[in-house]
Protein backbone atom coordinates (compact mmCIF):
# COMPACT_ATOMS: atom_id res chain seq x y z
CA UNK A 1 0.00 0.00 0.00
CA UNK A 2 1.25 3.43 -0.92
CA UNK A 3 2.60 5.52 1.93
CA UNK A 4 1.69 9.16 2.38
CA UNK A 5 3.84 11.72 4.11
CA UNK A 6 2.22 14.61 5.90
CA UNK A 7 2.65 16.81 8.92
CA UNK A 8 0.42 17.08 11.96
CA UNK A 9 1.11 19.96 14.32
CA UNK A 10 4.52 20.35 12.67
CA UNK A 11 5.45 16.73 13.21
CA UNK A 12 6.27 14.88 9.99
CA UNK A 13 4.51 11.55 9.73
CA UNK A 14 4.30 8.65 7.29
CA UNK A 15 0.87 7.09 7.04
CA UNK A 16 -0.83 4.32 5.13
CA UNK A 17 -3.08 5.31 2.28
CA UNK A 18 -6.73 5.17 3.27
CA UNK A 19 -6.10 5.96 6.93
CA UNK A 20 -8.05 8.81 8.48
CA UNK A 21 -6.42 11.90 9.93
CA UNK A 22 -7.74 10.82 13.31
CA UNK A 23 -6.12 7.37 13.15
CA UNK A 24 -2.78 8.77 12.05
CA UNK A 25 -2.80 11.47 14.71
CA UNK A 26 -3.62 8.93 17.40
CA UNK A 27 -0.75 6.67 16.30
CA UNK A 28 1.54 9.67 16.55
CA UNK A 29 0.34 10.36 20.06
CA UNK A 30 -1.62 13.47 19.13
CA UNK A 31 -5.01 13.57 20.81
CA UNK A 32 -7.94 15.06 18.89
CA UNK A 33 -11.23 15.45 20.79
CA UNK A 34 -14.01 13.17 19.51
CA UNK A 35 -17.52 12.15 20.53
CA UNK A 36 -19.26 10.24 17.77
CA UNK A 37 -16.14 8.25 16.88
CA UNK A 38 -15.97 4.83 18.47
CA UNK A 39 -13.16 2.33 17.95
CA UNK A 40 -14.46 -0.66 16.02
CA UNK A 41 -17.29 0.95 14.06
CA UNK A 42 -17.23 3.09 10.93
CA UNK A 43 -17.27 6.88 11.27
CA UNK A 44 -20.07 9.18 10.23
CA UNK A 45 -18.71 12.62 11.16
CA UNK A 46 -21.83 13.49 13.15
CA UNK A 47 -20.56 15.52 16.10
CA UNK A 48 -18.03 17.88 14.44
CA UNK A 49 -15.87 17.91 17.54
CA UNK A 50 -12.82 16.52 15.79
CA UNK A 51 -12.54 19.42 13.32
CA UNK A 52 -8.98 20.23 12.27
CA UNK A 53 -7.35 22.82 10.05
CA UNK A 54 -5.73 21.73 6.82
CA UNK A 55 -3.41 24.29 5.21
CA UNK A 56 -4.88 25.44 1.90
CA UNK A 57 -8.42 24.28 2.71
CA UNK A 58 -10.63 27.16 3.85
CA UNK A 59 -13.15 25.07 5.79
CA UNK A 60 -12.47 22.91 8.81
CA UNK A 61 -12.49 19.16 8.23
CA UNK A 62 -13.59 16.36 10.56
CA UNK A 63 -10.49 14.30 11.35
CA UNK A 64 -12.49 11.09 11.75
CA UNK A 65 -13.96 11.30 8.27
CA UNK A 66 -11.01 12.78 6.35
CA UNK A 67 -8.51 10.52 4.64
CA UNK A 68 -4.83 11.45 4.66
CA UNK A 69 -3.29 12.81 1.47
CA UNK A 70 0.26 13.39 0.33
CA UNK A 71 1.77 16.62 1.64
CA UNK A 72 -1.16 17.49 3.92
CA UNK A 73 -0.34 20.01 6.63
CA UNK A 74 -2.71 19.60 9.54
CA UNK A 75 -3.22 21.64 12.69
CA UNK A 76 -5.17 20.01 15.48
CA UNK A 77 -4.97 22.87 17.93
CA UNK A 78 -5.48 26.61 17.56
CA UNK A 79 -7.53 29.39 19.11
CA UNK A 80 -10.02 29.08 16.25
CA UNK A 81 -10.42 25.32 16.72
CA UNK A 82 -10.80 25.63 20.46
CA UNK A 83 -13.48 28.26 19.93
CA UNK A 84 -15.42 26.03 17.55
CA UNK A 85 -15.15 22.98 19.74
CA UNK A 86 -16.46 24.85 22.75
CA UNK A 87 -19.31 26.18 20.65
CA UNK A 88 -20.19 22.70 19.39
CA UNK A 89 -20.21 21.41 22.95
CA UNK A 90 -22.35 24.23 24.24
CA UNK A 91 -24.87 23.56 21.49
CA UNK A 92 -24.99 19.88 22.44
CA UNK A 93 -25.69 20.84 26.04
CA UNK A 94 -28.35 23.38 25.08
CA UNK A 95 -30.20 20.97 22.82
CA UNK A 96 -31.36 18.55 25.49
CA UNK A 97 -31.52 18.43 29.27
CA UNK A 98 -28.13 17.62 30.72
CA UNK A 99 -28.24 17.82 34.47
CA UNK A 100 -25.03 16.07 35.39
CA UNK A 101 -25.53 15.94 39.16
CA UNK A 102 -28.47 13.57 38.86
CA UNK A 103 -27.32 11.68 35.78
CA UNK A 104 -26.49 7.96 35.87
CA UNK A 105 -23.27 8.73 34.01
CA UNK A 106 -22.05 11.54 36.24
CA UNK A 107 -18.29 11.17 36.45
CA UNK A 108 -18.12 8.63 33.59
CA UNK A 109 -19.66 10.67 30.81
CA UNK A 110 -17.72 11.53 27.67
CA UNK A 111 -19.71 14.69 27.12
CA UNK A 112 -19.02 15.90 30.63
CA UNK A 113 -15.34 14.96 30.45
CA UNK A 114 -15.05 16.76 27.13
CA UNK A 115 -16.63 19.89 28.57
CA UNK A 116 -14.12 19.86 31.43
CA UNK A 117 -11.13 19.27 29.23
CA UNK A 118 -12.08 21.95 26.73
CA UNK A 119 -12.67 24.45 29.50
CA UNK A 120 -16.37 24.95 28.88
CA UNK A 121 -17.44 26.89 31.97
CA UNK A 122 -20.85 28.10 30.82
CA UNK A 123 -23.33 27.79 27.95
CA UNK A 124 -23.98 30.93 25.92
CA UNK A 125 -27.04 29.53 24.18
CA UNK A 126 -30.51 29.32 25.49
CA UNK A 127 -31.45 25.80 26.56
CA UNK A 128 -34.27 24.40 24.44
CA UNK A 129 -35.59 22.25 27.29
CA UNK A 130 -37.36 19.87 24.94
CA UNK A 131 -39.81 17.45 26.51
CA UNK A 132 -38.43 14.05 25.70
CA UNK A 133 -39.44 10.98 27.58
CA UNK A 134 -37.60 8.12 29.24
CA UNK A 135 -38.25 4.65 27.85
CA UNK A 136 -38.07 2.06 30.60
CA UNK A 137 -40.10 -0.62 28.88
CA UNK A 138 -37.08 -2.80 28.17
CA UNK A 139 -36.42 -5.48 30.79
CA UNK A 140 -32.71 -4.75 31.25
CA UNK A 141 -32.00 -1.29 29.84
CA UNK A 142 -33.44 2.19 29.77
CA UNK A 143 -33.19 5.11 27.39
CA UNK A 144 -33.40 8.73 28.48
CA UNK A 145 -33.83 10.83 25.34
CA UNK A 146 -33.10 13.96 27.33
CA UNK A 147 -29.44 12.94 27.58
CA UNK A 148 -28.99 11.86 23.99
CA UNK A 149 -26.59 13.80 21.76
CA UNK A 150 -27.55 11.88 18.59
CA UNK A 151 -24.03 10.65 18.01
CA UNK A 152 -25.58 7.46 16.51
CA UNK A 153 -23.04 5.16 18.14
CA UNK A 154 -25.89 2.97 19.39
CA UNK A 155 -27.38 2.82 15.87
CA UNK A 156 -24.06 1.77 14.38
CA UNK A 157 -23.12 -0.87 16.95
CA UNK A 158 -26.61 -2.33 16.83
CA UNK A 159 -26.61 -2.65 13.07
CA UNK A 160 -23.00 -3.31 12.28
CA UNK A 161 -21.69 -5.25 15.25
CA UNK A 162 -24.77 -6.96 16.62
CA UNK A 163 -26.50 -7.07 13.23
CA UNK A 164 -29.94 -6.46 14.72
CA UNK A 165 -30.66 -3.01 13.27
CA UNK A 166 -33.05 -2.27 16.11
CA UNK A 167 -32.08 1.37 16.51
CA UNK A 168 -32.11 4.22 14.05
CA UNK A 169 -32.70 7.96 13.86
CA UNK A 170 -36.18 9.22 13.13
CA UNK A 171 -37.16 12.69 11.93
CA UNK A 172 -34.87 15.63 11.32
CA UNK A 173 -33.73 18.82 13.02
CA UNK A 174 -34.91 19.28 16.58
CA UNK A 175 -37.39 16.45 16.06
CA UNK A 176 -34.61 13.90 15.49
CA UNK A 177 -34.53 11.12 17.98
CA UNK A 178 -33.40 7.55 18.40
CA UNK A 179 -36.09 4.96 17.74
CA UNK A 180 -36.43 1.21 18.18
CA UNK A 181 -38.00 -0.64 15.25
CA UNK A 182 -41.06 1.32 14.06
CA UNK A 183 -40.81 3.87 16.84
CA UNK A 184 -42.26 1.49 19.40
CA UNK A 185 -41.39 1.17 23.07
CA UNK A 186 -38.05 -0.63 23.38
CA UNK A 187 -39.65 -3.41 25.40
CA UNK A 188 -41.90 -4.27 22.45
CA UNK A 189 -39.10 -4.45 19.91
CA UNK A 190 -39.04 -7.70 17.96
CA UNK A 191 -35.53 -7.30 16.57
CA UNK A 192 -33.66 -6.38 19.79
CA UNK A 193 -31.58 -9.27 21.09
CA UNK A 194 -31.02 -7.51 24.42
CA UNK A 195 -27.28 -7.79 23.89
CA UNK A 196 -26.53 -4.45 25.53
CA UNK A 197 -24.01 -3.29 22.94
CA UNK A 198 -25.79 0.02 22.47
CA UNK A 199 -25.56 0.59 26.21
CA UNK A 200 -21.81 -0.08 26.09
CA UNK A 201 -21.42 2.34 23.21
CA UNK A 202 -23.33 5.35 24.52
CA UNK A 203 -21.06 8.26 25.52
CA UNK A 204 -23.62 9.92 27.80
CA UNK A 205 -26.26 8.85 30.27
CA UNK A 206 -28.87 8.32 27.53
CA UNK A 207 -28.61 4.53 27.58
CA UNK A 208 -28.23 2.81 30.91
CA UNK A 209 -28.57 -0.44 32.76
CA UNK A 210 -31.75 -0.50 34.73
CA UNK A 211 -31.22 -0.07 38.40
CA UNK A 212 -28.21 2.23 38.13
CA UNK A 213 -28.55 5.49 39.98
CA UNK A 214 -26.65 8.78 39.75
CA UNK A 215 -23.02 8.26 38.83
CA UNK A 216 -23.24 4.46 38.76
CA UNK A 217 -23.27 3.82 35.05
CA UNK A 218 -19.85 2.68 33.85
CA UNK A 219 -19.18 1.13 30.48
CA UNK A 220 -16.75 -1.27 28.95
CA UNK A 221 -16.00 -0.02 25.45
CA UNK A 222 -13.15 -2.46 25.05
CA UNK A 223 -15.70 -5.24 24.63
CA UNK A 224 -16.95 -3.75 21.37
CA UNK A 225 -13.47 -3.41 19.95
CA UNK A 226 -12.69 -6.94 21.03
CA UNK A 227 -15.72 -8.29 19.18
CA UNK A 228 -14.86 -6.49 15.98
CA UNK A 229 -11.23 -7.66 16.03
CA UNK A 230 -12.34 -11.19 16.76
CA UNK A 231 -14.84 -11.18 13.93
CA UNK A 232 -12.84 -9.40 11.26
CA UNK A 233 -9.31 -10.53 11.99
CA UNK A 234 -10.09 -13.76 13.81
CA UNK A 235 -7.98 -12.59 16.70
CA UNK A 236 -9.27 -12.98 20.21
CA UNK A 237 -7.31 -10.19 21.81
CA UNK A 238 -8.67 -9.77 25.31
CA UNK A 239 -7.51 -6.69 27.13
CA UNK A 240 -5.82 -7.75 30.37
CA UNK B 1 -48.98 -7.78 10.04
CA UNK B 2 -49.38 -7.74 6.29
CA UNK B 3 -46.11 -9.48 5.56
CA UNK B 4 -47.61 -11.58 2.81
CA UNK B 5 -50.32 -9.00 2.05
CA UNK B 6 -52.62 -11.35 3.95
CA UNK B 7 -55.27 -8.66 3.72
CA UNK B 8 -55.66 -9.59 0.06
CA UNK B 9 -55.38 -5.89 -0.73
CA UNK B 10 -54.22 -5.69 -4.35
CA UNK B 11 -52.16 -2.61 -3.60
CA UNK B 12 -49.56 -4.71 -1.79
CA UNK B 13 -49.18 -6.84 -4.89
CA UNK B 14 -48.65 -3.76 -7.06
CA UNK B 15 -46.08 -2.45 -4.61
CA UNK B 16 -44.26 -5.74 -4.65
CA UNK B 17 -44.09 -5.73 -8.44
CA UNK B 18 -42.58 -2.27 -8.16
CA UNK B 19 -39.95 -3.50 -5.68
CA UNK B 20 -39.14 -6.35 -7.99
CA UNK B 21 -38.57 -3.87 -10.80
CA UNK B 22 -35.92 -2.37 -8.54
CA UNK B 23 -34.55 -5.83 -7.77
CA UNK B 24 -35.42 -5.26 -4.09
CA UNK B 25 -32.33 -3.08 -3.84
CA UNK B 26 -31.70 -1.27 -0.57
CA UNK B 27 -30.92 1.98 -2.33
CA UNK B 28 -34.34 1.96 -3.96
CA UNK B 29 -35.98 2.50 -0.57
CA UNK B 30 -37.00 6.10 -1.22
CA UNK B 31 -38.43 5.16 -4.62
CA UNK B 32 -40.43 2.35 -3.05
CA UNK B 33 -41.76 4.57 -0.29
CA UNK B 34 -42.88 7.08 -2.93
CA UNK B 35 -44.79 4.36 -4.70
CA UNK B 36 -46.25 3.11 -1.45
CA UNK B 37 -47.52 6.56 -0.60
CA UNK B 38 -48.99 6.96 -4.07
CA UNK B 39 -50.86 3.71 -3.63
CA UNK B 40 -52.01 4.10 -0.05
CA UNK B 41 -52.09 7.85 0.52
CA UNK B 42 -49.97 7.53 3.64
CA UNK B 43 -47.50 5.13 5.22
CA UNK B 44 -48.99 3.06 7.95
CA UNK B 45 -46.92 0.80 10.20
CA UNK B 46 -47.90 -2.46 8.52
CA UNK B 47 -47.02 -0.96 5.16
CA UNK B 48 -43.58 0.07 6.42
CA UNK B 49 -43.11 -3.41 7.85
CA UNK B 50 -44.06 -4.90 4.50
CA UNK B 51 -41.43 -2.76 2.78
CA UNK B 52 -38.82 -3.57 5.40
CA UNK B 53 -39.55 -7.28 5.12
CA UNK B 54 -39.42 -7.34 1.34
CA UNK B 55 -36.30 -5.19 1.01
CA UNK B 56 -34.66 -7.06 3.90
CA UNK B 57 -33.93 -3.82 5.75
CA UNK B 58 -34.33 -3.18 9.49
CA UNK B 59 -37.74 -1.63 10.23
CA UNK B 60 -35.98 1.15 12.14
CA UNK B 61 -34.14 2.13 8.96
CA UNK B 62 -37.32 2.25 6.88
CA UNK B 63 -39.05 4.29 9.57
CA UNK B 64 -36.04 6.60 9.86
CA UNK B 65 -36.08 7.38 6.14
CA UNK B 66 -39.86 7.76 6.05
CA UNK B 67 -39.74 10.35 8.82
CA UNK B 68 -36.73 12.25 7.45
CA UNK B 69 -38.44 13.52 4.31
CA UNK B 70 -41.34 15.93 4.66
CA UNK B 71 -42.85 14.42 1.55
CA UNK B 72 -43.89 11.27 3.37
CA UNK B 73 -46.97 11.13 5.54
CA UNK B 74 -47.10 8.62 8.34
CA UNK B 75 -50.31 7.44 9.87
CA UNK B 76 -52.50 10.56 10.10
CA UNK B 77 -53.91 11.43 13.47
CA UNK B 78 -57.59 11.03 12.62
CA UNK B 79 -59.42 8.06 14.07
CA UNK B 80 -60.80 7.32 10.60
CA UNK B 81 -59.09 7.74 7.24
CA UNK B 82 -60.63 8.51 3.90
CA UNK B 83 -58.28 8.16 0.93
CA UNK B 84 -59.69 9.36 -2.38
CA UNK B 85 -57.95 8.05 -5.49
CA UNK B 86 -57.10 10.93 -7.81
CA UNK B 87 -55.50 8.80 -10.52
CA UNK B 88 -56.51 9.33 -14.14
CA UNK B 89 -59.31 6.75 -14.35
CA UNK B 90 -60.87 7.84 -11.07
CA UNK B 91 -60.49 11.48 -11.95
CA UNK B 92 -62.27 10.99 -15.27
CA UNK B 93 -65.10 9.23 -13.44
CA UNK B 94 -65.59 12.12 -11.06
CA UNK B 95 -63.12 11.73 -8.17
CA UNK B 96 -62.76 15.51 -8.09
CA UNK B 97 -66.47 15.87 -7.30
CA UNK B 98 -66.20 13.24 -4.60
CA UNK B 99 -63.27 14.91 -2.88
CA UNK B 100 -64.85 18.33 -3.35
CA UNK B 101 -67.97 17.20 -1.54
CA UNK B 102 -66.00 15.61 1.28
CA UNK B 103 -63.82 18.70 1.71
CA UNK B 104 -66.81 20.95 1.88
CA UNK B 105 -68.63 18.67 4.27
CA UNK B 106 -65.76 18.21 6.70
CA UNK B 107 -64.37 21.73 6.19
CA UNK B 108 -60.83 20.41 5.72
CA UNK B 109 -58.54 20.06 2.73
CA UNK B 110 -56.83 16.92 1.52
CA UNK B 111 -53.97 16.09 3.86
CA UNK B 112 -55.80 17.50 6.88
CA UNK B 113 -57.64 16.06 9.85
CA UNK B 114 -60.87 17.38 11.38
CA UNK B 115 -60.44 19.44 14.53
CA UNK B 116 -61.97 16.69 16.66
CA UNK B 117 -59.42 14.20 15.24
CA UNK B 118 -62.24 12.08 13.88
CA UNK B 119 -61.46 11.96 10.14
CA UNK B 120 -58.27 12.43 8.11
CA UNK B 121 -58.69 13.08 4.40
CA UNK B 122 -55.96 12.00 1.99
CA UNK B 123 -55.42 11.40 -1.70
CA UNK B 124 -53.66 8.65 -3.63
CA UNK B 125 -52.56 8.31 -7.23
CA UNK B 126 -54.05 5.22 -8.85
CA UNK B 127 -54.56 2.52 -6.29
CA UNK B 128 -54.77 -0.18 -8.95
CA UNK B 129 -58.54 -0.36 -8.96
CA UNK B 130 -59.30 1.57 -12.17
CA UNK B 131 -61.98 -0.97 -13.13
CA UNK B 132 -64.16 0.18 -10.26
CA UNK B 133 -63.41 3.90 -10.58
CA UNK B 134 -63.87 6.18 -8.83
CA UNK B 135 -62.51 4.35 -5.83
CA UNK B 136 -62.25 5.57 -2.25
CA UNK B 137 -60.53 3.75 0.61
CA UNK B 138 -62.41 4.05 3.89
CA UNK B 139 -60.37 2.90 6.87
CA UNK B 140 -58.34 0.62 4.63
CA UNK B 141 -61.15 -0.94 2.65
CA UNK B 142 -61.25 -0.17 -1.05
CA UNK B 143 -64.78 0.80 -2.04
CA UNK B 144 -65.96 0.90 -5.69
CA UNK B 145 -67.86 3.46 -7.75
CA UNK B 146 -68.19 6.31 -5.31
CA UNK B 147 -70.28 9.42 -5.80
CA UNK B 148 -70.40 12.55 -3.64
CA UNK B 149 -73.59 11.13 -2.06
CA UNK B 150 -72.21 7.70 -1.24
CA UNK B 151 -69.01 9.23 0.11
CA UNK B 152 -70.86 11.58 2.43
CA UNK B 153 -73.10 8.76 3.54
CA UNK B 154 -70.05 6.74 4.48
CA UNK B 155 -68.39 9.58 6.31
CA UNK B 156 -71.54 10.48 8.18
CA UNK B 157 -71.55 7.03 9.70
CA UNK B 158 -68.26 7.99 11.38
CA UNK B 159 -69.43 11.40 12.38
CA UNK B 160 -72.60 10.05 13.95
CA UNK B 161 -70.63 7.77 16.26
S1 LIG C 1 -29.52 -4.35 23.12
FE1 LIG C 1 -28.34 -5.02 21.31
S2 LIG C 1 -29.91 -5.57 19.80
FE2 LIG C 1 -30.95 -4.38 21.41
S3 LIG C 1 -30.93 -2.27 20.65
FE3 LIG C 1 -29.09 -2.51 21.92
S4 LIG C 1 -27.46 -3.13 20.48
FE4 LIG C 1 -29.41 -3.42 19.43
S1 LIG D 1 -28.49 7.07 22.84
FE1 LIG D 1 -26.32 7.42 23.36
S2 LIG D 1 -25.21 6.34 21.74
FE2 LIG D 1 -27.30 6.58 21.00
S3 LIG D 1 -27.24 8.48 19.82
FE3 LIG D 1 -27.90 9.01 21.89
S4 LIG D 1 -26.01 9.60 22.93
FE4 LIG D 1 -25.40 8.48 21.10
S1 LIG E 1 -15.59 12.38 16.07
FE1 LIG E 1 -15.36 13.21 14.12
S2 LIG E 1 -17.24 14.18 13.78
FE2 LIG E 1 -17.54 13.20 15.69
S1 LIG F 1 -56.98 5.76 -11.13
FE1 LIG F 1 -57.99 5.28 -9.30
S2 LIG F 1 -57.62 3.20 -9.22
FE2 LIG F 1 -56.53 3.67 -11.00
Amino acid sequence: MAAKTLTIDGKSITAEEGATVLQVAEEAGIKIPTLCHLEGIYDVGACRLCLVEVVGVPKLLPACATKVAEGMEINTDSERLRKYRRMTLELLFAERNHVCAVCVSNGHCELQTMAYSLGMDHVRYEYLFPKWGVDTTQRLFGMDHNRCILCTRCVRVCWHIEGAGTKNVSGRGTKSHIITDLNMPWGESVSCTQCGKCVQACPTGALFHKGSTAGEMERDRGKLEFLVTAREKHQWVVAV
Amino acid sequence: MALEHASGDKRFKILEVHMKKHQFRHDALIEILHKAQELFGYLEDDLLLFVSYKLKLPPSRVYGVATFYHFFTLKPKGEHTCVVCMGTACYVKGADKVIGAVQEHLKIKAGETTADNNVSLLTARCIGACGIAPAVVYDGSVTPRQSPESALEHINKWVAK
Side-chain angles (χ1 to χ4, degrees):
Chain A
M1 207 180 283
K4 306 273 173 203
T5 50
L6 59 149
T7 66
I8 304 183
D9 295 345
K11 207 166 164 179
S12 95
I13 290 169
T14 314
E16 261 178 36
E17 187 177 5
T20 65
V21 171
L22 181 66
Q23 283 169 334
V24 174
E26 230 139 62
E27 275 160 36
I30 297 163
K31 189 93 192 91
I32 299 173
T34 59
L35 266 181
C36 66
H37 169 79
L38 182 65
E39 227 36 77
I41 43 170
Y42 66 94
D43 287 296
V44 287
C47 74
R48 312 318 268 184
L49 217 67
C50 68
L51 290 176
V52 293
E53 294 169 344
V54 179
V55 175
V57 181
K59 51 176 194 178
L60 302 173
L61 297 176
C64 69
T66 305
K67 298 248 181 328
V68 291
E70 185 61 37
M72 243 182 184
E73 280 176 60
I74 298 157
N75 289 320
T76 72
D77 195 20
S78 70
E79 200 34 59
R80 174 172 169 230
L81 285 173
R82 264 175 271 154
K83 201 182 93 198
Y84 273 112
R85 284 173 189 152
R86 268 202 305 274
M87 202 162 89
T88 306
L89 267 182
E90 287 177 35
L91 287 168
L92 284 177
F93 272 87
E95 248 169 44
R96 300 264 163 128
N97 307 314
H98 295 277
V99 190
C100 300
V102 293
C103 178
V104 286
S105 285
N106 192 12
H108 316 285
C109 171
E110 289 184 37
L111 183 65
Q112 187 185 36
T113 310
M114 194 61 74
Y116 283 141
S117 70
L118 295 183
M120 187 192 99
D121 45 15
H122 66 292
V123 172
R124 284 164 289 176
Y125 309 102
E126 215 168 303
Y127 274 66
L128 296 179
F129 293 122
K131 285 199 174 58
W132 288 105
V134 183
D135 183 346
T136 53
T137 56
Q138 218 289 331
R139 195 168 54 92
L140 305 167
F141 322 118
M143 159 112 204
D144 183 350
H145 292 273
N146 298 293
R147 310 273 198 245
C148 175
I149 57 168
L150 295 169
C151 66
T152 72
R153 283 185 185 186
C154 55
V155 172
R156 286 173 284 152
V157 293
C158 183
W159 197 349
H160 292 265
I161 304 185
E162 175 60 6
T166 304
K167 295 203 181 289
N168 216 299
V169 185
S170 165
R172 59 157 79 190
T174 51
K175 289 209 184 87
S176 309
H177 66 287
I178 298 294
I179 50 162
T180 43
D181 290 351
L182 292 182
N183 196 18
M184 51 204 12
W186 195 353
E188 287 169 28
S189 162
V190 194
S191 64
C192 177
T193 64
Q194 317 194 33
C195 69
K197 290 185 182 67
C198 52
V199 181
Q200 295 299 346
C202 184
T204 69
L207 289 168
F208 52 89
H209 288 138
K210 269 196 175 168
S212 32
T213 57
E216 279 184 2
M217 191 56 218
E218 288 189 64
R219 299 163 210 264
D220 185 0
R221 311 244 195 267
K223 282 230 166 59
L224 298 171
E225 222 182 314
F226 161 76
L227 281 178
V228 175
T229 316
R231 177 178 308 162
E232 289 176 359
K233 303 200 174 126
H234 299 283
Q235 291 171 354
W236 282 257
V237 193
V238 189
V240 279
Chain B
M1 243 187 258
L3 292 189
E4 279 301 334
H5 42 86
S7 62
D9 191 329
K10 243 176 74 188
R11 292 176 291 174
F12 285 101
K13 191 89 223 151
I14 299 172
L15 185 59
E16 192 173 349
V17 169
H18 195 74
M19 291 194 245
K20 201 166 185 177
K21 214 172 80 197
H22 286 277
Q23 284 124 24
F24 298 96
R25 282 193 342 264
H26 286 177
D27 57 10
L29 176 58
I30 293 180
E31 261 296 309
I32 307 295
L33 289 177
H34 261 270
K35 187 70 185 176
Q37 180 148 318
E38 260 179 48
L39 282 166
F40 290 82
Y42 63 95
L43 306 170
E44 210 174 334
D45 280 4
D46 69 340
L47 182 53
L48 293 175
L49 270 184
F50 179 75
V51 170
S52 124
Y53 177 75
K54 290 292 173 190
L55 293 187
K56 299 190 171 62
L57 273 170
S60 64
R61 169 75 184 164
V62 175
Y63 192 91
V65 170
T67 52
F68 183 80
Y69 298 97
H70 293 304
F71 175 81
F72 297 122
T73 311
L74 264 68
K75 189 176 167 37
K77 48 183 185 300
E79 199 185 321
H80 298 284
T81 54
C82 171
V83 183
V84 181
C85 177
M86 296 297 276
T88 315
C90 290
Y91 193 88
V92 168
K93 293 269 179 129
D96 56 331
K97 295 196 186 66
V98 174
I99 198 161
V102 176
Q103 292 189 138
E104 193 173 316
H105 185 69
L106 294 175
K107 303 198 173 39
I108 53 170
K109 288 204 223 28
E112 295 178 350
T113 300
T114 52
D116 59 357
N117 279 347
N118 190 30
V119 185
S120 293
L121 178 63
L122 301 116
T123 56
R125 258 178 50 199
C126 190
I127 60 174
C130 305
I132 56 162
V136 177
V137 191
Y138 301 100
D139 281 343
S141 70
V142 180
T143 314
R145 286 175 283 275
Q146 291 301 285
S147 62
E149 295 74 35
S150 61
L152 293 189
E153 193 184 316
H154 211 113
I155 281 165
N156 278 329
K157 274 190 246 158
W158 294 335
V159 178
K161 262 187 268 166

mmCIF file of all heavy atoms in Angstrom, chain A residues 10 12 58 90 114 117 139 157:
data_model
loop_
_atom_site.group_PDB
_atom_site.id
_atom_site.type_symbol
_atom_site.label_atom_id
_atom_site.label_comp_id
_atom_site.label_asym_id
_atom_site.label_seq_id
_atom_site.Cartn_x
_atom_site.Cartn_y
_atom_site.Cartn_z
ATOM 1 N N GLY A 10 3.109 20.158 12.941
ATOM 2 C CA GLY A 10 4.525 20.353 12.673
ATOM 3 C C GLY A 10 5.353 19.078 12.688
ATOM 4 O O GLY A 10 6.519 19.065 12.291
ATOM 5 N N SER A 12 6.436 15.557 11.276
ATOM 6 C CA SER A 12 6.267 14.882 9.990
ATOM 7 C C SER A 12 6.021 13.393 10.208
ATOM 8 O O SER A 12 6.648 12.737 11.046
ATOM 9 C CB SER A 12 7.444 15.178 9.057
ATOM 10 O OG SER A 12 8.382 14.166 9.151
ATOM 11 N N PRO A 58 -10.008 26.109 3.035
ATOM 12 C CA PRO A 58 -10.635 27.158 3.851
ATOM 13 C C PRO A 58 -11.537 26.629 4.958
ATOM 14 O O PRO A 58 -11.595 27.193 6.032
ATOM 15 C CB PRO A 58 -11.433 27.989 2.837
ATOM 16 C CG PRO A 58 -11.516 27.162 1.597
ATOM 17 C CD PRO A 58 -10.391 26.187 1.620
ATOM 18 N N GLU A 90 -21.279 23.447 23.616
ATOM 19 C CA GLU A 90 -22.352 24.231 24.238
ATOM 20 C C GLU A 90 -23.680 23.958 23.546
ATOM 21 O O GLU A 90 -24.720 23.846 24.202
ATOM 22 C CB GLU A 90 -22.021 25.725 24.171
ATOM 23 C CG GLU A 90 -20.930 26.124 25.141
ATOM 24 C CD GLU A 90 -20.563 27.598 25.012
ATOM 25 O OE1 GLU A 90 -21.462 28.403 24.734
ATOM 26 O OE2 GLU A 90 -19.375 27.923 25.180
ATOM 27 N N MET A 114 -15.466 15.887 28.229
ATOM 28 C CA MET A 114 -15.052 16.761 27.134
ATOM 29 C C MET A 114 -15.244 18.221 27.520
ATOM 30 O O MET A 114 -14.380 19.062 27.252
ATOM 31 C CB MET A 114 -15.893 16.417 25.906
ATOM 32 C CG MET A 114 -15.395 16.983 24.621
ATOM 33 S SD MET A 114 -13.749 16.407 24.207
ATOM 34 C CE MET A 114 -14.075 14.736 23.705
ATOM 35 N N SER A 117 -12.456 19.172 29.828
ATOM 36 C CA SER A 117 -11.129 19.267 29.233
ATOM 37 C C SER A 117 -11.023 20.416 28.232
ATOM 38 O O SER A 117 -9.944 20.925 27.981
ATOM 39 C CB SER A 117 -10.723 17.934 28.594
ATOM 40 O OG SER A 117 -11.502 17.706 27.458
ATOM 41 N N ARG A 139 -36.631 -4.757 29.540
ATOM 42 C CA ARG A 139 -36.424 -5.475 30.795
ATOM 43 C C ARG A 139 -35.108 -5.086 31.479
ATOM 44 O O ARG A 139 -35.036 -4.916 32.687
ATOM 45 C CB ARG A 139 -36.421 -6.975 30.476
ATOM 46 C CG ARG A 139 -36.565 -7.911 31.643
ATOM 47 C CD ARG A 139 -36.832 -9.323 31.115
ATOM 48 N NE ARG A 139 -35.804 -9.749 30.159
ATOM 49 C CZ ARG A 139 -34.695 -10.429 30.486
ATOM 50 N NH1 ARG A 139 -34.482 -10.755 31.742
ATOM 51 N NH2 ARG A 139 -33.815 -10.781 29.554
ATOM 52 N N VAL A 157 -23.504 0.424 16.331
ATOM 53 C CA VAL A 157 -23.122 -0.868 16.948
ATOM 54 C C VAL A 157 -24.248 -1.883 16.799
ATOM 55 O O VAL A 157 -23.993 -3.068 16.573
ATOM 56 C CB VAL A 157 -22.729 -0.786 18.443
ATOM 57 C CG1 VAL A 157 -21.458 -0.009 18.630
ATOM 58 C CG2 VAL A 157 -23.841 -0.225 19.289
#
